[in-house]
Amino acid sequence: TLLASTSKTARFEENAPPAITTTSSKAALALAADLNSLDARMFGAFWCSHCYDQKQALGYEAMQTIPYIECDREGFNSKRDFCKEKDVPGYPTWEIGGKLFPGERSVDELREMVDEVMSSK
């Protein structure tokens, strides 16, 4: 699994996601910890602007801990077959507690989703 933050100095021509330049808030760090407890991951593509915005919303430190799955066949460390197996409908898509949640989400929206999944366990 490629963590989104591993591309801190990546160049676009390497087909790696752009560098995350924001710092994580306390809320984003707490969310990342809960996402990890649910074995969550983010599916995306190196060229996807919504994926980049999603990572920027969470910040560098939080995204260091959240598995990022590259779905584009030409992307760095591509896991395209895994994305197809999971039937990822678009980018970004979150897998949280075994369920897929497509679309870019705010930190607050992700928190609500995580809390709902955690309460149903």
Side-chain angles (χ1 to χ4, degrees), residues 30-99:
L31 174 63
D34 287 341
L35 284 165
N36 279 306
S37 75
L38 295 169
D39 295 322
R41 56 186 136 209
M42 179 184 157
F43 295 91
F46 69 95
W47 46 262
C48 169
S49 63
H50 292 286
C51 300
Y52 178 68
D53 292 343
Q54 181 72 88
K55 293 183 238 178
Q56 287 286 89
L58 289 165
Y60 178 79
E61 295 80 8
M63 286 306 300
Q64 275 192 302
T65 67
I66 299 169
Y68 169 76
I69 310 300
E70 176 62 51
C71 293
D72 188 283
R73 69 177 169 264
E74 295 181 11
F76 179 75
N77 199 27
S78 176
K79 302 289 184 209
R80 181 155 177 80
D81 290 341
F82 183 62
C83 298
K84 283 186 168 193
E85 179 184 311
K86 287 287 188 175
D87 203 21
V88 174
Y91 314 126
T93 293
W94 286 93
E95 182 181 22
I96 304 170
K99 296 180 184 177

Side-chain angles (χ1 to χ4, degrees), residues 95-106:
E95 182 181 22
I96 304 170
K99 296 180 184 177
L100 296 181
F101 298 89
E104 182 182 346
R105 310 293 177 130
S106 70

